[in-house]
Amino acid sequence: MTDSPARVLTDDELDVLELALGGAVPRLPFVTGPVTLTDTENTPLAEVGADGSPTPVKPIAAALGPQWDERLRVPARDVAAAVAPGTTAVWTDEVPTVEDAATIARVAERGGVLLLVPASRRTAPGTVGAAGLTRAVVALAEEIPGRPRVVVVPYPHRSTTAVAPVDVTPADVATAYGAERLLVPGEERSPETRAALADLPRAHARAVAALYPAASAREVERAAAAGHGRGTVVFFTGLSGSGKSTVARALAAELDDDGLGTTLLDGDAVRHHLSKGLGFDRESRETNVERIGYVASLVAKHGGIAVAAPIAPFAASRATVRGLAEAAGARFLLVHISTPLEVCEARDRKGLYAKARAGEIPDFTGISSPYETPDDADLTIDTSEVSVEDAVNQVRAAL
């Protein structure tokens, strides 16, 4: 680790960094070195030299879901080394239709096929996320002659409201992964299939209109558009390194994959935005937690799901957050990630405990500042004994 300035990466930039570290992108055009790249938890991930090329420092944190399966999420250089000459890469950025499957099967009959699944850390509302897309493509591969290989590709989110930090095209990625040709099934669809897909949002309305009188149909449509009902706040608390952010991210990703719009309020990410400028004394920490609780209560008030994961060391501020959620009419679930201090310190991905022990960080929870163990937790999980997947399942069961 050098003394170079640090830059916290966005989700899109994390995708590009992963591409670069895997050999798919030669350099990072959105930074000039020397600089240390970190995630929102301030974990150093890579050092960037003056030429823009990154050198890994620590592994990029993975999450749950098939898109994170290490058998599928393989670096470009490793895939390219194993791809047969003449292979066609199929860019499956949408759930394949019946027509798409037939197109891919015809290509597979003529030669090698590599199914690339572009998986972003962000999902546009109303679309199938990375987990669902990966499941669909893996299932499709089982039906294609020769069972082509499926590879998950970290890829920046693209939409009309968000611009990727680097112009990485599907053709660039296909070449980096060893393919000689690129097929985008969506571009090969017939006019009939395109029209049918475009008409899907109106199909429900027509079905409702056919089943109900006009006044009843309006009420059914109104109820369908009213949201998800009672909102929920899932509030994680625990020491730095306990695993609360990892579990929170995995939970939010699963809820998103189920079509439940979820807002993740991670402690470190909030510090960069909502609570920028606050210190780490007791008053500042309580203010930070209460700000998170206020935003979470607003999300839940309108039927959404808010997942928050600050350290939240003090009982008084946690009680305030619970009160805000309940006043908004939301369900509130306090999850204590009770991983022992010695385990948290051994993990120490950010190197913070070592600095705290050396006296370089004052008011560090668990070392020089107290952590008030919750006596009102709705769920207690020790991630030194429970896997992330099991932890998420416990939270979902509690909900």
Side-chain angles (χ1 to χ4, degrees):
M1 186 76 178
T2 69
D3 293 326
S4 57
R7 170 168 175 163
V8 179
L9 297 182
T10 66
D11 286 341
D12 288 341
E13 290 168 345
L14 276 170
D15 286 325
V16 179
L17 174 62
E18 189 176 346
L19 283 173
L21 293 176
V25 176
R27 56 183 298 276
L28 299 175
F30 55 86
V31 292
T32 55
V35 64
T36 301
L37 303 180
T38 78
D39 58 19
T40 56
E41 293 187 343
N42 295 316
T43 301
L45 302 177
E47 296 284 352
V48 179
D51 62 351
S53 60
T55 301
V57 175
K58 291 188 177 180
I60 296 174
L64 289 183
Q67 74 273 31
W68 291 100
D69 188 330
E70 62 183 11
R71 295 167 297 180
L72 302 177
R73 204 174 183 112
V74 182
R77 64 173 64 90
D78 296 341
V79 176
V83 168
T87 292
T88 297
V90 179
W91 191 253
T92 52
D93 58 344
E94 299 178 69
V95 173
T97 65
V98 171
E99 185 178 22
D100 295 341
T103 299
I104 297 169
R106 286 195 297 271
V107 174
E109 289 173 356
R110 299 194 296 267
V113 164
L114 179 66
L115 298 177
L116 299 181
V117 183
S120 171
R121 286 171 171 80
R122 298 192 293 141
T123 300
T127 62
V128 176
L133 184 60
T134 302
R135 286 192 294 267
V137 175
V138 167
L140 174 65
E142 297 292 321
E143 307 297 326
I144 300 297
R147 292 189 177 181
R149 182 176 184 179
V150 177
V151 175
V152 173
V153 177
Y155 197 70
H157 174 82
R158 306 223 171 194
S159 74
T160 57
T161 59
V163 179
V166 61
D167 188 19
V168 184
T169 69
D172 295 333
V173 174
T175 299
Y177 279 76
E180 293 186 8
R181 290 178 294 275
L182 175 68
L183 170 70
V184 182
E187 297 177 356
E188 306 293 324
R189 290 169 180 164
S190 65
E192 293 76 16
T193 296
R194 292 175 187 271
L197 289 171
D199 190 54
L200 276 178
R202 293 182 289 274
H204 176 264
R206 288 200 301 273
V208 169
L211 287 169
Y212 296 99
S216 298
R218 284 194 296 271
E219 296 305 324
V220 170
E221 290 283 23
R222 189 195 307 275
H228 303 297
R230 189 182 182 193
T232 300
V233 174
V234 183
F235 195 87
F236 290 86
T237 176
L239 296 171
S240 177
S242 62
K244 63 188 179 302
S245 293
T246 301
V247 178
R249 284 196 302 269
L251 173 67
E254 283 206 5
L255 295 174
D256 269 339
D257 191 45
D258 287 346
L260 302 172
T262 306
T263 300
L264 177 62
L265 300 167
D266 188 27
D268 288 304
V270 168
R271 278 277 181 179
H272 289 295
H273 302 286
L274 185 65
S275 294
K276 188 174 183 179
L278 285 180
F280 289 89
D281 57 278
R282 179 166 186 142
E283 183 179 359
S284 294
R285 288 180 178 216
E286 291 188 322
T287 298
N288 176 57
V289 170
E290 289 171 17
R291 286 180 182 178
I292 293 173
Y294 175 68
V295 173
S297 70
L298 291 180
V299 171
K301 180 179 180 179
H302 298 285
I305 300 174
V307 178
I311 292 175
F314 304 119
S317 54
R318 294 193 299 260
T320 297
V321 172
R322 184 187 288 272
L324 287 169
E326 292 175 348
R331 293 183 297 175
F332 183 85
L333 188 74
L334 180 63
V335 182
H336 177 209
I337 302 299
S338 62
T339 308
L341 173 63
E342 59 270 20
V343 176
C344 299
E345 191 166 359
R347 291 171 177 172
D348 204 16
R349 271 176 58 85
K350 308 175 198 177
L352 299 180
Y353 280 100
K355 291 181 179 180
R357 292 287 187 190
E360 297 176 22
I361 303 178
D363 297 319
F364 190 83
T365 302
I367 304 298
S368 53
S369 182
Y371 178 81
E372 298 175 358
T373 303
D375 58 11
D376 60 341
D378 301 293
L379 186 63
T380 300
I381 300 172
D382 180 350
T383 63
S384 67
E385 299 178 351
V386 175
S387 70
V388 174
E389 184 175 7
D390 286 342
V392 170
N393 288 337
Q394 287 187 37
V395 176
R396 299 200 69 172
L399 289 173

